[in-house]
Amino acid sequence: MSWKGRREWLTPFAVAALAAIVALPSLCNRFVYDDVPVIVQNKLVHSLSATPAIWSSSYWPVGMLYRPLTIQLFNLEWVLGGERSRVFHGVSILLAALTAILVWRLASRLLPPLGAAVAAALFAVHPVHVEAIANVVGQSELLVAVFALLAIERYLVWRDEGALGPRRRLLLAGLTLLAIFSKETGYVVPLLLGVAELCRFRPPRRAVVPMFVLQLGAVTAALLIRLSVLGNLAGEVPAASLTGLGLPARTLGMLTIVPEWTRLLVWPVHLQGEYGPPALSLTDAALGPRLLGATILIGAFALLVWGWRREKTVALGLLWAAAALLPVSNLLAVTGLILAERTLFLPSVGAVLVVAAVAGVAASRLAEAPRGVRAAAAAAGIALVVAAAVRSAERATVWKTQSVFFARLVEDAPRAYLAHNVASRFYLGEKRYSEAEREARRAFELYRKDAQVHYQFGQVLRTMGRCGEAIPVLTEGVRLAPLESKLRSRLIECTLAAGDTAGARAAAAEAVKAGLTEFIPTLRRLSPAGPSRSP
């Protein structure tokens, strides 16, 4: 067999093995964080007979996300392995290896063999991928990447052949639907196809019009199915720090996120499970981070212009990253997060293409350099891959157990209020009250604009029998979220526990006045003629 023949199977095998080896420590992980409500506590996952219900239900037990293909995969994994998390993590590792192969296949259409191998190797070991791979719910990110990469790679091949017949157009539309049903970010697949067309082929483009019309049909069909199942097209509940912000404010605020995106895609030394205020804020950020974000965008645009003229793969990679970031940028629609590492899985494809293409240009200029210089450059590249692999393998163990994860979460993100709030929730469920109070108090000190912070802190104090301290906390939370029933209930319960029946009755009356009719029976029970007991 010739060297070229060996390379055709050896390189993809090597990058798949590299991705699998790096992810292997996650095989010992348990179900952690969002895995618990989405998989362990979700009855739709536990029986194959639930398949029809999966396709007519939301992703979360309560929520407005629609990811039936991801839930269906969890269902099959549960049928195969039951509560054994190792089966789920094994599937995640296989998906990670498959994605690395597909990145190599895509890069092979855009770069020389060495450049394609570099891009795939960097993707296989990228530390920002760990959250998507080590936490089972990240399979939605992996599925979207698999279908998107398949669609774009096949499109490039078929477009080169000059044959985009009906069957191929239908297949591409089918891959788009599969990506969308895996996660909402799948809606960008048609946009990625447009990027590929724009960067790789010259006009006239009339031959591809039917394909893009069919892509529009696939997106429309997905939206109609979502509408029929969920009743509306709205996404998840907006993050507290995004509530009420218009497009201009979000656009200005997202400039503070650009440096974090860049750092995580280019130099992800520090990683954390949650991001947000006050450490990362859209509204309270200093001028410096926004100026840095604007500078990075200007630099990226300059690189785009250079790439368009000199190396189209650079332009394609930058546009790919921008398109893949669009759904989580909070520009088109407000989401439930400011930033999450798992959402950078698909954008990182564009990042590694840019790095490999730029490295290829640099290597061509080093061709005439002394052997020592070339050897040093090669050694630096190998060292970078090894360092990233070690970092990724170490990071994968953070999701080993719930206790390990939440301890590391607050350690890694000490100034992200949400990290402390969700840690408090876990500790309270475990009846580790002192730790639950410590984390709830810290979240309360860091950020008081989220009603859930008030709810959690008040709930901890109430559970510990300290309702006198909980009442002002819950009262402030009710002011922030007057239609939040759980806050109202806890406030009434604590007011009664403190012996203030009149105050509890007034709180119930205020809830009814606000339109929360579920508190009418409570108000009746607390009336002077009725029994004074907890609702």
Side-chain angles (χ1 to χ4, degrees):
M1 181 184 295
S2 66
W3 165 243
K4 182 179 179 180
R6 291 194 196 97
R7 188 177 62 207
E8 288 180 353
W9 66 265
L10 183 60
T11 303
F13 176 81
V15 297
L18 187 58
I21 291 169
V22 166
L24 199 59
S26 66
L27 199 59
C28 297
N29 292 353
R30 306 297 298 274
F31 293 114
V32 170
Y33 201 11
D34 287 345
D35 293 349
V36 176
V38 174
I39 298 172
V40 179
Q41 297 173 352
N42 189 354
K43 294 182 179 179
L44 294 179
V45 171
H46 301 166
S47 172
L48 203 57
S49 62
T51 294
I54 288 172
W55 291 83
S56 58
S57 304
S58 65
Y59 174 71
W60 290 99
V62 177
M64 298 305 296
L65 299 178
Y66 186 61
R67 303 172 187 174
L69 189 60
T70 298
I71 296 296
Q72 188 69 71
L73 179 59
F74 292 154
N75 177 277
L76 295 175
E77 292 167 36
W78 187 280
V79 170
L80 181 63
E83 297 183 37
R84 290 177 292 178
S85 59
R86 187 163 294 184
V87 172
F88 289 79
H89 287 293
V91 172
S92 292
I93 292 171
L94 290 175
L95 287 172
L98 175 59
T99 309
I101 293 174
L102 292 173
V103 169
W104 171 78
R105 287 178 63 88
L106 174 64
S108 296
R109 310 297 176 191
L110 305 169
L111 295 166
L114 181 58
V118 168
L122 289 173
F123 185 87
V125 301
H126 205 306
V128 84
H129 297 165
V130 176
E131 182 179 37
I133 298 169
N135 200 201
V136 176
V137 291
Q139 287 182 15
S140 62
E141 307 287 350
L142 304 178
L143 289 173
V144 169
V146 165
F147 297 129
L149 286 163
L150 277 171
I152 310 308
E153 190 271 341
R154 286 293 86 195
Y155 178 76
L156 291 175
V157 173
W158 295 335
R159 187 76 165 89
D160 276 329
E161 294 175 354
L164 272 173
R167 290 184 180 180
R168 290 178 172 180
R169 294 197 295 266
L170 282 171
L171 180 58
L172 292 174
L175 289 171
T176 297
L177 281 172
L178 291 173
I180 292 171
F181 290 149
S182 299
K183 191 180 179 182
E184 291 73 13
T185 47
Y187 283 103
V188 304
V189 173
L191 193 55
L192 296 177
L193 288 167
V195 167
E197 171 65 27
L198 190 65
C199 294
R200 294 295 294 176
F201 305 102
R202 294 182 178 182
R205 307 185 193 277
R206 289 188 297 272
V208 301
V209 170
M211 187 277 295
F212 282 104
V213 169
L214 197 55
Q215 287 290 312
L216 179 61
V219 169
T220 302
L223 289 172
L224 290 174
I225 292 171
R226 175 190 174 88
L227 181 62
S228 68
V229 172
L230 302 182
N232 63 63
L233 298 178
E236 54 191 322
V237 177
S241 57
L242 294 169
T243 302
L245 294 184
L247 179 59
R250 297 200 308 273
T251 302
L252 182 63
M254 289 308 292
L255 288 176
T256 65
I257 310 303
V258 171
E260 282 298 305
W261 280 341
T262 306
R263 180 187 69 81
L264 288 169
L265 288 172
V266 177
W267 196 252
V269 175
H270 178 76
L271 300 166
Q272 59 192 65
E274 291 288 354
Y275 292 81
L280 190 62
S281 173
L282 270 65
T283 56
D284 301 324
L287 182 61
R290 292 181 180 177
L291 287 177
L292 179 58
T295 302
I296 291 172
L297 290 179
I298 293 170
F301 181 75
L303 184 59
L304 175 63
V305 172
W306 175 87
W308 190 264
R309 295 173 177 173
R310 299 288 301 276
E311 176 54 70
K312 284 292 181 68
T313 301
V314 171
L316 190 151
L318 287 170
L319 291 174
W320 177 298
L325 284 169
L326 195 58
V328 294
S329 66
N330 291 299
L331 296 179
L332 295 180
V334 180
T335 71
L337 52 88
I338 291 178
L339 186 151
E341 291 167 11
R342 61 187 176 275
T343 63
L344 299 182
F345 193 81
L346 185 60
S348 70
V349 175
V352 299
L353 288 175
V354 171
V355 171
V358 171
V361 173
S364 65
R365 295 183 178 180
L366 284 174
E368 302 302 323
R371 181 180 298 178
V373 174
R374 286 181 280 131
I382 293 171
L384 178 64
V385 171
V386 171
V390 171
R391 177 67 175 120
S392 294
E394 180 275 331
R395 181 68 182 170
T397 61
V398 168
W399 281 264
K400 188 172 184 178
T401 65
Q402 290 272 66
S403 293
V404 170
F405 172 76
F406 285 107
R408 281 293 299 270
L409 178 63
V410 297
E411 178 184 336
D412 293 335
R415 286 187 48 75
Y417 85 92
L418 188 58
H420 298 278
N421 204 55
V422 296
S424 173
R425 193 183 307 157
F426 165 70
Y427 291 133
L428 183 62
E430 296 292 301
K431 299 183 179 181
R432 295 161 61 173
Y433 297 123
S434 62
E435 293 158 291
E437 181 187 359
R438 180 192 68 208
E439 299 304 334
R441 189 178 298 278
R442 181 58 178 154
F444 189 72
E445 292 168 350
L446 287 171
Y447 194 76
R448 298 191 182 188
K449 297 178 183 179
D450 188 345
Q452 291 305 310
V453 169
H454 297 263
Y455 173 81
Q456 181 60 28
F457 192 22
Q459 177 74 334
V460 170
L461 294 172
R462 186 187 75 86
T463 304
M464 297 175 73
R466 294 156 58 184
C467 272
E469 298 174 59
I471 289 172
V473 174
L474 294 169
T475 300
E476 188 178 348
V478 167
R479 291 195 190 100
L480 284 174
L483 299 181
E484 179 55 63
S485 296
K486 294 191 299 181
L487 269 167
R488 297 272 189 181
S489 293
R490 298 300 175 263
L491 177 60
I492 293 171
E493 290 169 2
C494 258
T495 306
L496 279 174
D500 185 4
T501 304
R505 184 167 57 250
E510 184 182 348
V512 172
K513 186 177 180 181
L516 300 176
T517 55
E518 63 267 36
F519 286 93
I520 292 176
T522 301
L523 182 59
R524 289 172 178 167
R525 288 199 299 270
L526 294 175
S527 64
S532 298
R533 63 177 184 270
S534 176

